């Protein structure tokens, strides 16, 4: 299968006090494809990172997307693939669009890093979902409430609207132990892992 490799570099001086993340994601160029927009909304000033996993057990985590909430413009050209209801300008750090393989499981952790002088706390949300062929989606990570919401962008007589499809899991302690460890390592928390059940 042929794949197109896309790299994103966020310039460090654009956000004071934030470590930036170089993101590398290979978009599919053949097969069944869906379009997905990632958005960081809310008033948190800092970086939001999307990590993708091979499965719902959080194996082989890789950074997918780096977003900056509350920033609608910088020196980085927007990443777009033609999803309707774009309202973020030509130079947007808080919204990026990608092609994803359709009709297969996708597993993400979306988390925020503290911004500025560290007055905000880090937190995140897990999503396990699939995308249907030739459809448009938006995953909005509200950095205020640390909740990720998946919408399908549907068309009806030429009008587009966001339709709720899924709300991400913020109850981290309910996740598999590998996911809890990933969360702790990336966010700096100390949520205890679950003890194995005795037979």
């Amino acid at each position: 299968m042929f794949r197109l490799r896309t790299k994103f570099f966020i310039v460090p001086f654009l956000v004071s006090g934030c470590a930036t993340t170089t993101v590398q994601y290979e978009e599919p160029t053949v097969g069944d494809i869906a379009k997905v927009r990632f958005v960081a909304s809310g008033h948190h000033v800092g970086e939001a990172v999307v990590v993708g996993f091979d499965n719902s057990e959080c194996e082989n985590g890789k950074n997918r997307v780096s977003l900056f909430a509350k920033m609608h413009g910088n020196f980085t050209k927007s990443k777009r693939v033609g999803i309707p209801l774009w309202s973020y300008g030509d130079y947007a750090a808080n919204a990026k669009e990608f092609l994803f393989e359709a009709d297969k499981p996708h597993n993400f952790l979306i988390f925020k890093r503290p911004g500025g002088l560290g007055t905000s706390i880090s937190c995140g949300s897990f999503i396990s979902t699939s995308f249907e062929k030739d459809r448009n989606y938006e995953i909005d990570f509200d950095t205020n409430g640390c909740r990720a919401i998946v919408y399908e962008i549907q068309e009806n007589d030429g009008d587009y609207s966001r339709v709720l499809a899924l709300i991400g899991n913020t109850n981290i302690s309910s996740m598999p132990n590998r996911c809890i460890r990933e969360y702790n390592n990336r966010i700096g928390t100390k949520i205890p892992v679950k003890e194995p059940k005795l037979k």
Side-chain angles (χ1 to χ4, degrees):
M1 176 181 292
F2 295 99
R3 291 181 179 272
L4 173 67
R5 176 166 292 180
T6 307
K7 283 190 177 182
F8 303 94
F9 297 94
I10 307 298
V11 183
F13 61 78
L14 296 176
V15 179
S16 175
C18 282
T20 59
T21 303
T22 300
V23 177
Q24 186 170 305
Y25 166 62
E26 295 182 2
E27 297 184 71
T29 57
V30 296
D32 294 340
I33 291 173
K35 297 177 180 179
V36 182
R37 176 191 300 143
F38 293 91
V39 178
S41 61
H43 299 294
H44 166 77
V45 179
E47 186 181 21
V49 180
V50 181
V51 181
F53 300 100
D54 287 348
N55 53 41
S56 60
E57 298 288 322
C58 297
E59 290 183 339
N60 195 26
K62 295 180 180 178
N63 289 357
R64 293 288 189 256
V65 185
S66 178
L67 304 167
F68 284 96
K70 208 178 178 182
M71 288 187 66
H72 289 265
N74 65 14
F75 298 107
T76 305
K77 187 72 173 175
S78 299
K79 171 70 173 74
R80 300 181 63 180
V81 295
I83 299 174
L85 300 182
W86 177 272
S87 60
Y88 306 97
D90 290 333
Y91 292 85
N94 61 327
K96 293 183 174 71
E97 298 177 350
F98 298 88
L99 303 178
F100 275 86
E101 291 183 75
D103 302 318
K104 63 168 288 185
H106 292 282
N107 302 279
F108 304 107
L109 164 63
I110 308 178
F111 68 94
K112 72 175 184 180
R113 302 182 192 274
L117 299 176
T119 55
S120 58
I121 60 174
S122 296
C123 59
S125 180
F126 282 96
I127 294 174
S128 292
T129 189
S130 62
F131 308 117
E132 294 188 38
K133 176 184 176 182
D134 298 330
R135 299 207 175 176
N136 297 295
Y137 297 87
E138 181 174 281
I139 300 178
D140 183 357
F141 180 61
D142 179 359
T143 58
N144 294 338
C146 279
R147 185 173 67 168
I149 301 176
V150 182
Y151 298 95
E152 182 181 344
I153 297 180
Q154 297 181 355
E155 185 265 341
N156 183 17
D157 292 332
D159 293 325
Y160 291 93
S161 62
R162 292 173 176 85
V163 177
L164 178 65
L166 176 72
I167 297 176
N169 184 7
T170 57
N171 183 10
I172 308 305
S173 61
S174 70
M175 299 293 293
N177 280 343
R178 186 188 294 267
C179 297
I180 296 174
R181 293 189 184 99
E182 277 279 349
Y183 186 90
N184 285 339
N185 290 338
R186 291 178 177 272
I187 299 179
T189 52
K190 296 181 180 179
I191 297 173
V193 297
K194 296 184 283 288
E195 296 292 334
K197 294 182 179 179
L198 298 178
K199 295 182 179 179

